[in-house]
Amino acid sequence: MEPPTAEAVLQGVFTLYNDPNNVEKEKASKWLEEFQKSIHSWKIADELLRQKHDLNSCTFAAQTMRNKIQNSFHELPEEAHESLRQSLLEHLSHITIETKSVIVTQLSLALADLALLMSSWQKPVATLLQRFSNNVNMMYALIELLTLIPEEVNSRHLRLGANRRKEILLDLEADSTLVGEYLTLCLVNGNESEQLRSKILKCFTSWVQINAFKLPEISDSMIIVYSFQLLSSGTTSPDLHEAATDCLCSLLHCMELNNSRGGLDDKLFGGIMCLEEAYNMSVAQEDLDKSMNLCRLFTVLVESNLTRMVALSDDETPHYSVKSLDLVLNCVGHYDYEVAEITFNMWYRLSEDLYHRNNYQLTSHFTPYVERLVAALYKHSQLDPDHDGLVSGSFNDFRFKVSEIVKDVIFIVSSISCFKQMFIILQSPNVSWESSEAALFIMQNVARNILPEESEVVPKVVEAILNLPENCHIAIRYTSISILGELCDWIDTNPETLQPVLNFLLFALQQKNGLATAAANSLQSICSSCKKHMLGHISGLMEIARCLDGFDIQTESAIGLLKGISIIIGRLPAAQLTPAMQELCSFQVEALSRLTNGDDDGLDGKKSRSDPAFWLDRLASIYRHVSPTVRNNEVNPCAFVIINNWNVLSRALERYKNDSKIMERIVRCIRYAIRCIGKQAMPILEPLVKQIITIYSGHNHSCLLYLGSILVDEFAYEEGCTQGLLNMLQAFIEPTFGVLQMENGLKNHPDMVDDFFRLATRFIQRAPLQFLQSPLVTPIIQCGLLACTLDHREANISVMRFFCSLLRHDRANDLEPMVQSILASHGEALIMNLLYASVFCLHSNMLLDVAEVFIEIKQHSPLQLEEHVKKAVDSLPKKNSGGSVTVTHEQMVQFVSNVVNSQTSRATTQALQDFARLYR
């Protein structure tokens, strides 16, 4: 853009905030956005801050300065860093008590980021304290700065690099005593401003979070004492209460991280244990925010001691920190379930640790606590006595979390013990309906763990469910139906209960208001677990299928019910299987046939029925789950049905080729059809391939590439099929590369990258010789080299697997010379791109797949790998935009050695992650 003037920017800001014309506002917004990206914005933002024209222009200028330092610091030559620093310090020195906080924050962020990036600025914290600590007007701004500097150390925008970050952290650690003294002085001499005291606590917390303080030195800190005073008092303001909680939580995390035990540990533990009365007071005052803060603090106290609590408890005596669980359980009993929810992750961590230790005596120490937890969750799970209908809304979300946590911890108290305890509640005289329903809900979550041989309680529960009175609350009926589904393994071992259970569920299927959906889900579970016994009920299941659209069932549950019926059909003898499957498919195929012929207004008049996806998902479920056992050379009894139905799917492909969502459903259906009958789908192979090639050339649906990979997987071994499939790949290449070579093509079409390289990988796995001999391999490799940097997990995995498959094979066979030729041509570029991607583009959790490629290259030639890695490392920048050293010569040598000498992909991943941190 042309160099703008300060006046033009002022006019743009005025238009953005004051012009009533939305079109003009939008134009101004876009222009200002472009201005902020330009190199001219440095100078003009500085100018606007000096002018102090109005609040909006100063705010915009401060934001611009912060954005430029965060994202475009490389634009400034190193010699301009000092003048920028002086300018920002000058702007900050003019801050008064009247200066708007948004400007203070943006300027402070800009200066904090500059202090971290600018390697020539030695001891920035000491400089700031020396310059501003005696200026009372600067107290707020200085504390803001001191808060932001440690907070910004790990900012992903700055990409400081591990070396610079380590240097900064050492500096901050050295300056922490000065900061602690200054904050204490502010606390002692400051006025009664709650805002100031809150800022002091937040600043102290930010230094604790980066582990800058030596914990023994702050064990007597006045700020910690003050935090406890705030939490003990019933009159503390919400902001101060939260800041004090954050402060103590950060100290606990810090001690856990450092495994630091001693004076501060004892003081924190004792002090927090004494806050039980403060918590009880917050409950009595119905101050939910304070209750939640204290609950969070108690939970973090347990989490920080969890390792010791479990590891140091012996067979006879639990570790003393176990008593902190009483504090947490007190919170779980709070009248608001949101408080209990805060503790859930802690219970999960405890259960994981105990489960992996597998020590009954150790686990028994925690049994009473988990019993109390389950009892409290049972109470929280109760609906209001006047509630009508089923559980819904946020309470339903909470009950889902309760389900998860009960399943996680139940082994500590045993499922049958919990089941019996809840059954006792059910048998209590005059028990309310909401208590009964909550007990059934807890039972539902442990029912699947009940041993099939159990004969004392479960038969009574099943009998009680089957004899529920007609007038019982709908929520009780719903939960009871769900329990029967969870008891599917028990029913399989006790088949005498199957018929009455099926009768009960069939009756429920005919109900409304959610009961039919619950019955469908339970029927699916019983079909999946009781396959042998359900064969005798196939006629009843087929009748259910015929009437499926007459039931008030959610779509997903109807598909699940078809899954259950399909599983049973798959176990029928061939002579019965084919007609049963044909009939089951016919309900879906007939509807699809009418839709593809354009006759879409006679399907029960419901909108969902005229959506082809509705029928395609059902048909896909049948194809996927009718899975007969077929010996070699036997005709698959599903083949006749699937081939007979092909014309309808073919018409659907043609009719809906403009709709990517429906195309995905059709492809999914075809995929399961081909997987079901394998090579016996040969009659539809050629017409299918021709059709998807034609459609893809005009519509580029990536799901067609995925379908191509399924065809290669099933048919590439078959004589006479390989060349036709290679022709399919060739036909796919031009339209695919046309899309991916557009600006941001790879980034904007990750699904296409994923599916295309999945297809190429299938070829390498199924027909490697023919693939490597084809002229297609070079352009595909070149596309893969570009796609290495794509930061999309699934797409990047497919690209890395393509390269691994290309390199991974028996090195004694005829393919070795071809692979060596590929490495000679593309090996250097591959390593260069992989390292660049690892350092600048990919998340660290994606580097395992990159490491696999390094390992495969090493298998062919360690010397070649070493040579290429050295070149790739040498091509990376050695300094960052702030002038600090990103990577030393010793670190480069060490990295090359680590990669070349790594024996496992895990070790190579670690080497890549450590090296990438030098640039992040």
Side-chain angles (χ1 to χ4, degrees):
M1 68 187 298
E2 288 293 313
T5 62
E7 289 72 26
V9 176
L10 275 172
Q11 184 57 50
V13 172
F14 180 83
T15 302
L16 179 65
Y17 286 102
N18 300 295
D19 198 313
N21 186 327
N22 285 332
V23 175
E24 291 300 315
K25 286 169 89 81
E26 183 66 24
K27 279 169 62 178
S29 176
K30 286 182 178 175
W31 187 86
L32 289 171
E33 198 176 313
E34 286 303 310
F35 160 75
Q36 284 187 316
K37 292 176 184 173
S38 76
I39 198 164
H40 312 293
S41 56
W42 290 100
K43 183 180 177 185
I44 291 178
D46 186 41
E47 198 175 324
L48 292 178
L49 284 167
R50 290 182 197 284
Q51 288 180 11
K52 295 187 178 64
H53 192 276
D54 58 27
L55 173 62
N56 288 334
S57 64
C58 287
T59 303
F60 176 77
Q63 286 172 336
T64 301
M65 198 65 87
R66 186 212 68 192
N67 283 337
K68 296 300 287 184
I69 292 172
Q70 273 193 350
N71 303 312
S72 308
F73 194 59
H74 59 275
E75 292 177 353
L76 282 184
E78 216 168 315
E79 54 271 19
H81 293 174
E82 180 57 32
S83 61
L84 175 62
R85 179 177 78 132
Q86 292 303 335
S87 178
L88 285 173
L89 286 169
E90 181 67 18
H91 291 313
L92 271 166
S93 67
H94 292 141
I95 284 174
T96 66
I97 201 76
E98 284 82 30
T99 306
K100 293 295 181 183
S101 62
V102 64
I103 298 174
V104 176
T105 300
Q106 295 299 321
L107 279 175
S108 299
L109 261 173
L111 190 60
D113 288 344
L114 180 65
L116 300 177
L117 286 164
M118 186 175 161
S119 59
S120 59
W121 186 357
Q122 299 290 316
K123 293 285 190 183
V125 170
T127 305
L128 293 168
L129 282 168
Q130 187 177 0
R131 178 160 180 170
F132 296 124
S133 61
N134 294 321
N135 183 344
V136 177
N137 290 329
M138 281 296 296
M139 189 183 294
Y140 282 86
L142 181 54
I143 292 175
E144 182 86 358
L145 261 172
L146 294 176
T147 304
L148 290 170
I149 287 174
E151 283 182 357
E152 289 290 289
V153 167
N154 294 306
S155 166
R156 59 187 179 86
H157 298 289
L158 297 183
R159 298 189 78 97
L160 293 171
N163 288 329
R164 174 63 179 158
R165 195 171 287 110
K166 183 178 179 183
E167 184 183 309
I168 291 165
L169 288 170
L170 286 172
D171 273 354
L172 296 183
E173 192 178 323
D175 291 334
S176 62
T177 304
L178 287 174
V179 171
E181 289 170 354
Y182 175 69
L183 292 176
T184 303
L185 198 65
C186 291
L187 190 64
V188 172
N189 297 333
N191 55 31
E192 292 304 308
S193 164
E194 285 191 357
Q195 185 187 6
L196 176 64
R197 290 169 180 270
S198 180
K199 280 182 174 291
I200 291 168
L201 286 171
K202 286 173 183 174
C203 184
F204 184 81
T205 300
S206 72
W207 283 72
V208 170
Q209 286 170 337
I210 61 160
N211 206 17
F213 292 120
K214 293 181 176 66
L215 294 179
E217 292 180 6
I218 59 169
S219 61
D220 295 321
S221 167
M222 185 179 292
I223 294 173
I224 298 175
V225 173
Y226 179 58
S227 296
F228 275 112
Q229 287 172 357
L230 290 172
L231 295 180
S232 300
S233 168
T235 58
T236 303
S237 71
D239 280 353
L240 275 174
H241 199 276
E242 184 175 5
T245 304
D246 290 341
C247 177
L248 296 182
C249 285
S250 295
L251 284 164
L252 290 169
H253 284 308
C254 190
M255 285 195 304
E256 182 185 12
L257 188 68
N258 292 295
N259 195 23
S260 172
R261 306 299 170 188
L264 181 58
D265 177 32
D266 294 338
K267 284 183 181 177
L268 284 178
F269 189 87
I272 294 170
M273 291 297 292
C274 290
L275 290 174
E276 184 172 14
E277 186 53 42
Y279 170 79
N280 292 336
M281 192 192 316
S282 75
V283 176
Q285 294 172 348
E286 296 188 3
D287 192 330
L288 183 60
D289 288 339
K290 286 184 180 178
S291 295
M292 292 177 84
N293 285 336
L294 289 165
C295 176
R296 178 160 58 92
L297 179 59
F298 299 157
T299 303
V300 172
L301 176 66
V302 173
E303 287 180 327
S304 68
N305 284 290
L306 211 50
T307 303
R308 288 194 305 165
M309 189 185 295
V310 175
L312 300 182
S313 292
D314 58 36
D315 286 352
E316 301 301 322
T317 315
H319 188 258
Y320 74 88
S321 61
V322 165
K323 59 189 176 183
S324 57
L325 287 172
D326 288 314
L327 287 179
V328 172
L329 282 165
N330 192 13
C331 298
V332 175
H334 192 280
Y335 58 82
D336 193 307
Y337 64 76
E338 286 186 38
V339 179
E341 214 172 305
I342 293 169
T343 73
F344 283 4
N345 188 60
M346 181 276 293
W347 293 110
Y348 168 73
R349 283 184 57 186
L350 174 63
S351 68
E352 281 286 284
D353 200 345
L354 291 173
Y355 182 79
H356 288 301
R357 289 177 188 271
N358 194 22
N359 180 327
Y360 173 78
Q361 197 64 41
L362 175 63
T363 301
S364 66
H365 290 314
F366 297 91
T367 300
Y369 299 102
V370 174
E371 285 174 345
R372 287 167 59 192
L373 170 67
V374 173
L377 294 178
Y378 150 72
K379 287 181 180 174
H380 277 303
S381 299
Q382 292 181 21
L383 290 156
D384 291 331
D386 57 353
H387 179 87
D388 289 327
L390 302 177
V391 185
S392 60
S394 60
F395 190 58
N396 193 40
D397 297 335
F398 170 72
R399 294 237 302 195
F400 176 78
K401 292 172 185 172
V402 169
S403 294
E404 296 297 302
I405 204 67
V406 168
K407 289 170 185 174
D408 285 333
V409 304
I410 200 61
F411 75 93
I412 299 172
V413 296
S414 93
S415 296
I416 191 60
S417 170
C418 174
F419 205 81
K420 287 177 179 177
Q421 196 62 41
M422 293 298 123
F423 186 61
I424 290 170
I425 292 172
L426 290 178
Q427 292 179 307
S428 304
N430 302 319
V431 62
S432 65
W433 76 263
E434 65 273 14
S435 297
S436 297
E437 193 278 333
L440 287 165
F441 168 71
I442 297 295
M443 293 165 82
Q444 175 194 333
N445 290 301
V446 303
R448 205 169 279 255
N449 299 332
I450 302 294
L451 292 175
E453 299 78 33
E454 207 288 325
S455 58
E456 182 187 344
V457 179
V458 177
K460 293 176 184 175
V461 172
V462 172
E463 184 182 0
I465 289 173
L466 297 179
N467 292 293
L468 281 173
E470 284 294 318
N471 62 347
C472 77
H473 195 285
I474 187 173
I476 288 183
R477 192 170 289 278
Y478 181 92
T479 307
S480 298
I481 291 167
S482 301
I483 287 179
L484 293 178
E486 293 298 307
L487 286 171
C488 54
D489 293 332
W490 185 89
I491 293 170
D492 186 41
T493 308
N494 298 271
E496 69 280 0
T497 61
L498 183 57
Q499 186 63 59
V501 165
L502 292 177
N503 292 340
F504 180 84
L505 294 177
L506 183 56
F507 176 77
L509 267 179
Q510 298 165 63
Q511 308 303 302
K512 297 194 180 296
N513 302 321
L515 295 182
T517 292
N521 294 338
S522 290
L523 264 175
Q524 179 198 327
S525 297
I526 289 170
C527 285
S528 299
S529 291
C530 310
K531 303 181 191 72
K532 182 174 66 174
H533 304 299
M534 287 298 290
L535 276 173
H537 299 275
I538 189 64
S539 59
L541 291 174
M542 292 304 295
E543 187 58 37
I544 288 171
R546 291 185 196 100
C547 304
L548 191 58
D549 290 323
F551 301 136
D552 183 25
I553 301 177
Q554 289 179 1
T555 300
E556 285 301 312
S557 298
I559 291 169
L561 185 49
L562 285 173
K563 169 188 171 180
I565 297 171
S566 301
I567 288 170
I568 304 306
I569 287 176
R571 294 179 65 88
L572 290 170
Q576 294 174 255
L577 189 154
T578 303
M581 182 180 179
Q582 190 166 16
E583 184 182 1
L584 192 61
C585 292
S586 68
F587 310 134
Q588 335 308 324
V589 172
E590 285 168 13
L592 273 174
S593 182
R594 289 161 67 183
L595 288 172
T596 54
N597 287 327
D599 179 17
D600 58 356
D601 42 50
L603 299 169
D604 296 344
K606 294 183 181 177
K607 187 179 177 183
S608 63
R609 304 293 195 266
S610 61
D611 181 356
F614 180 86
W615 306 103
L616 287 163
D617 288 349
R618 290 179 168 201
L619 189 58
S621 183
I622 298 167
Y623 285 167
R624 183 178 186 181
H625 296 106
V626 176
S627 187
T629 303
V630 182
R631 296 189 185 88
N632 288 336
N633 303 319
E634 275 188 357
V635 175
N636 190 314
C638 303
F640 172 80
V641 181
I642 286 172
I643 292 168
N644 204 39
N645 293 339
W646 162 244
N647 286 336
V648 174
L649 290 175
S650 177
R651 284 204 309 275
L653 281 170
E654 186 59 36
R655 179 171 175 83
Y656 299 109
K657 61 187 177 185
N658 295 319
D659 190 321
S660 60
K661 294 296 180 189
I662 296 178
M663 286 295 288
E664 285 175 9
R665 303 303 236 291
I666 300 169
V667 162
R668 188 165 166 268
C669 197
I670 296 172
R671 165 197 171 191
Y672 289 130
I674 289 169
R675 289 298 196 198
C676 180
I677 60 174
K679 295 171 182 59
Q680 293 184 35
M682 190 70 79
I684 65 173
L685 178 61
E686 188 175 342
L688 172 58
V689 169
K690 285 180 179 175
Q691 190 171 11
I692 64 176
I693 286 173
T694 304
I695 294 173
Y696 187 75
S697 65
H699 296 85
N700 307 143
H701 299 302
S702 75
C703 60
L704 297 175
L705 298 173
Y706 181 81
L707 182 54
S709 71
I710 301 296
L711 299 177
V712 171
D713 197 37
E714 291 289 347
F715 296 103
Y717 285 137
E718 294 298 297
E719 192 176 340
C721 289
T722 308
Q723 189 55 50
L725 292 168
L726 276 170
N727 293 342
M728 175 189 72
L729 176 61
Q730 184 166 13
F732 283 153
I733 282 181
E734 186 178 342
T736 300
F737 286 6
V739 172
L740 298 182
Q741 285 169 357
M742 292 190 293
E743 186 178 358
N744 292 324
L746 291 164
K747 184 179 179 182
N748 293 337
H749 300 278
D751 291 345
M752 184 174 280
V753 176
D754 182 14
D755 291 327
F756 179 77
F757 281 97
R758 191 192 302 266
L759 170 60
T761 301
R762 289 287 194 211
F763 264 108
I764 297 170
Q765 293 167 342
R766 296 290 180 260
L769 185 61
Q770 295 91 327
F771 178 75
L772 292 174
Q773 286 175 334
S774 79
L776 309 178
V777 68
T778 299
I780 293 174
I781 289 172
Q782 289 168 342
C783 181
L785 291 173
L786 294 175
C788 285
T789 57
L790 184 57
D791 183 16
H792 182 280
R793 184 156 184 78
E794 286 74 24
N796 199 272
I797 286 173
S798 286
V799 174
M800 295 307 141
R801 284 180 181 168
F802 164 75
F803 282 117
C804 282
S805 298
L806 196 65
L807 300 167
R808 183 183 296 144
H809 61 86
D810 181 0
R811 269 162 274 284
N813 64 23
D814 298 337
L815 302 179
E816 177 64 15
M818 296 183 199
V819 176
Q820 287 293 355
S821 173
I822 288 169
L823 273 176
S825 303
H826 305 288
E828 184 177 334
L830 177 58
I831 292 292
M832 194 81 74
N833 289 16
L834 288 175
L835 188 59
Y836 181 87
S838 300
V839 169
F840 296 111
C841 306
L842 305 181
H843 291 289
S844 60
N845 63 1
M846 296 169 68
L847 297 185
L848 178 60
D849 301 286
V850 177
E852 297 278 1
V853 184
F854 277 89
I855 291 290
E856 292 303 328
I857 294 173
K858 180 184 174 184
Q859 297 300 320
H860 288 275
S861 174
L863 292 175
Q864 203 175 12
L865 175 69
E866 184 172 11
E867 179 188 338
H868 293 335
V869 173
K870 279 181 180 175
K871 281 188 180 177
V873 168
D874 202 47
S875 71
L876 295 173
K878 309 300 183 294
K879 283 189 173 184
N880 66 16
S881 52
S884 61
V885 173
T886 308
V887 55
T888 65
H889 176 72
E890 291 75 17
Q891 286 170 327
M892 290 192 292
V893 171
Q894 185 63 54
F895 170 67
V896 174
S897 172
N898 288 344
V899 170
V900 173
N901 295 320
S902 293
Q903 299 302 313
T904 63
S905 54
R906 182 71 56 192
T908 306
T909 304
Q910 190 63 56
L912 287 169
Q913 288 174 339
D914 291 344
F915 190 72
R917 283 192 199 101
L918 298 173
Y919 289 85
R920 295 183 177 179

